[in-house]
Amino acid sequence: MKKEISIEEKLSELSSKFSKNDTLVIILAAGHGKRIRSSTSKMLHTIWGVPSIERVRLAVENGISKSNVTIVVGIKALDVANAIGKKPHTHFAYQEEQNGTGHAVKIGLEKSNLDNIKYCYVLYADMGLIDADTMREFSEEFKKSKTDMIVMTALYDGPKGSNYYGRILRSRGLTYNGTPSLYKKKELGEVVGVIEYKDILAMKDDEKLYKEYRDEKYSYEKDELLEDFNEYVAGIYGFKMEPLRNLIEELKANNAQNELYLTDLIEIFIDNNLSISTYMPKDHRVVLGFNDKTVLKEMEGIARHNIYNKLKNIITIADADDFFIDESIVNQILEIDKDEKPLDIYIGKGAYIGRNVKINYGVIISNGAKLDGNIELGENVYIGDNVLLTCLDKQKVVLEDNVKVYESNQIKGNVHIKKDTILERGVNVTGSDKHPVIIGQNVLIKGVSYLYGSIVDDYAYIEHCIFYYSHIKAIFDDNGKVLKCRFIRPKEEGLESVSTVENVKKKKS
């Protein structure tokens, strides 16, 4: 009997060797997210068409170049790992039991080759709006600060009662007993600790939180922690590796959740006289993470808004709140715009343009049209309302210059339509790997027509026809006018299984 391969063995097969680069990035992707209420791992929920975990990984790959990456997986471990696949300098670590973020980082360190590592960054896989520029700036700020640890923070600007983040605690002008601080003004505002939202709630109403920093002691009341402290830990950290390895063992689960909190490392570093700096991104929205569908939808809206702002002065998008253009297509549009030639591209309400579509000048994609697959559009192509263009990975749809595909038509599989051809309403075209459809130039197809695996010559005129594996030629009359192919259909099969309703009624009676 064949031995079943364990999760760790399968993860090992998807892992690759680290490079000699001195940087490690740990991405925490072990949780499932109970509040997301889905059988799909939270990490695989998409933001603008890409799983959150993959967005985070790409931000790291492009922002902290050549870094080694360890992805800590747990619940749905293989689903997450298989979605990412085998990537260079990337290792998967299995957290079988989830015991907090600090525990996840410990697992990540234990399962990583740390021989050459001097710097370690940690971030969460549900932060699907994080981008390469933010990660690059964060890394550069850490190196420039020369501190032992850096914490990314942000300012919460939503309803006060909805701030569920851990609060940053800083030194201030008055100590716990009301006496002025001995430190100079420029020395105030240093990070002295963090408190998680659930631990604030666990405090008694008249209880104070005390923090010691250097030789002074500060106090914080429950109400002000809930209402007035809006700087929160964004969930991205940077560490010098040596103190991280030495001090992570000091994490204790003495909190409301009885878990090892990664944020507790802030106070552990402070207690060991190590330096901590902070970095706040220009746009606080890039650090959003999601635990439920409401926040996920909000993040999707932010992603859409960002895409719209990139394109709004380059192409026409009919509805800023209802469209999808894959980011690879966005980059393609931005690239061809460098020629400073008017693009004249129009995207209708509800239109969907997926990855691997090649866009072009003068293209009109109308309301509700969907383009998904390897699709190549020539100049001035018109795609009508609710048209579907789609094909499998190894297939291709090509529409040459000036092709017009009118409302609700469907084009699927291997299909090549040459320039100046028109497909009026009611036309379906399907090409297979073995039998692609090739439609020539200046062809007109109209009425309810269906073509499968067929070849159509230039200038042909087809109306109300069904063709399978056919070759349709253009025949002209004495005046040079093309003759119509009309009401043509394949020979019937299985007619013995069909009868009229009247005959059925007679037999029953």
Side-chain angles (χ1 to χ4, degrees), residues 175-195:
T175 62
Y176 78 102
N177 58 9
T179 60
S181 171
L182 296 175
Y183 296 108
K184 296 177 182 178
K185 186 175 181 180
K186 67 178 181 179
E187 293 176 312
L188 297 177
E190 295 292 323
V191 177
V192 301
V194 172
I195 182 168

Side-chain angles (χ1 to χ4, degrees), residues 18-27 60 64-72 89-93 104-123 135 138-139 142-143 237-241 244-245:
F18 278 1
S19 70
K20 293 182 179 180
N21 189 281
D22 64 0
T23 300
L24 169 67
V25 181
I26 298 177
I27 301 175
V60 168
I64 308 179
S65 61
K66 300 179 181 178
S67 57
N68 298 296
V69 178
T70 291
I71 301 173
V72 181
H89 320 311
T90 301
H91 181 81
F92 292 97
V105 173
K106 286 180 68 175
I107 295 293
L109 292 173
E110 289 168 4
K111 299 296 177 67
S112 300
N113 180 358
L114 305 178
D115 291 346
N116 301 310
I117 304 301
K118 295 180 180 178
Y119 304 97
C120 179
Y121 298 93
V122 178
L123 68 165
M135 292 306 301
F138 182 64
S139 175
F142 184 33
K143 302 287 180 64
Y237 307 83
F239 304 91
K240 285 184 178 176
M241 180 54 74
L244 174 62
R245 292 180 73 176

Side-chain angles (χ1 to χ4, degrees), residues 5-233:
I5 301 175
S6 69
I7 291 176
E8 289 193 335
E9 288 173 322
K10 290 178 181 178
L11 292 176
S12 179
E13 292 175 0
L14 290 169
S15 298
S16 55
K17 290 183 179 180
F18 278 1
S19 70
K20 293 182 179 180
N21 189 281
D22 64 0
T23 300
L24 169 67
V25 181
I26 298 177
I27 301 175
L28 304 183
H32 179 60
K34 294 179 181 178
R35 283 187 283 164
I36 202 72
R37 294 185 180 276
S38 173
S39 58
T40 301
S41 168
K42 181 174 80 165
M43 313 308 166
L44 297 181
H45 280 74
T46 61
I47 299 169
W48 206 247
V50 179
S52 181
I53 173 66
E54 179 64 3
R55 285 190 166 277
V56 172
R57 192 195 66 80
L58 289 171
V60 168
E61 179 182 287
N62 298 318
I64 308 179
S65 61
K66 300 179 181 178
S67 57
N68 298 296
V69 178
T70 291
I71 301 173
V72 181
V73 292
I75 300 171
K76 303 278 186 178
L78 294 180
D79 288 352
V80 175
N82 285 323
I84 296 167
K86 191 162 187 171
K87 295 291 187 293
H89 320 311
T90 301
H91 181 81
F92 292 97
Y94 183 46
Q95 185 188 18
E96 188 170 2
E97 294 183 13
Q98 281 70 58
N99 191 26
T101 53
H103 178 246
V105 173
K106 286 180 68 175
I107 295 293
L109 292 173
E110 289 168 4
K111 299 296 177 67
S112 300
N113 180 358
L114 305 178
D115 291 346
N116 301 310
I117 304 301
K118 295 180 180 178
Y119 304 97
C120 179
Y121 298 93
V122 178
L123 68 165
Y124 299 108
D126 65 350
M127 301 176 72
L129 295 179
I130 197 69
D131 55 53
D133 289 342
T134 301
M135 292 306 301
R136 186 180 302 110
E137 290 175 11
F138 182 64
S139 175
E140 290 171 354
E141 182 63 28
F142 184 33
K143 302 287 180 64
K144 189 169 64 176
S145 72
K146 298 182 179 180
T147 55
D148 299 294
M149 177 182 182
I150 188 169
V151 182
M152 189 178 294
T153 70
L155 295 178
Y156 179 79
D157 61 359
K160 288 187 177 181
S162 299
N163 185 358
Y164 308 123
Y165 295 98
R167 272 68 157 172
I168 287 282
L169 305 175
R170 293 184 179 271
S171 60
R172 45 199 198 177
L174 296 177
T175 62
Y176 78 102
N177 58 9
T179 60
S181 171
L182 296 175
Y183 296 108
K184 296 177 182 178
K185 186 175 181 180
K186 67 178 181 179
E187 293 176 312
L188 297 177
E190 295 292 323
V191 177
V192 301
V194 172
I195 182 168
E196 295 291 341
Y197 174 72
K198 291 177 180 178
D199 292 327
I200 300 174
L201 295 182
M203 292 171 62
K204 296 176 182 178
D205 290 343
D206 58 350
E207 184 180 352
K208 289 185 179 181
L209 173 70
Y210 295 95
K211 293 292 178 183
E212 291 188 15
Y213 181 71
R214 295 179 182 173
D215 299 322
E216 292 190 334
K217 191 175 184 180
Y218 304 94
S219 64
Y220 309 86
E221 296 181 356
K222 180 177 181 178
D223 285 346
E224 68 171 338
L225 290 171
L226 285 173
E227 301 295 328
D228 301 330
F229 281 57
N230 64 346
E231 184 185 12
Y232 64 90
V233 180

Side-chain angles (χ1 to χ4, degrees), residues 432-443:
S432 65
D433 294 342
K434 189 176 180 180
H435 298 283
V437 170
I438 302 173
I439 301 175
Q441 301 179 31
N442 290 283
V443 171

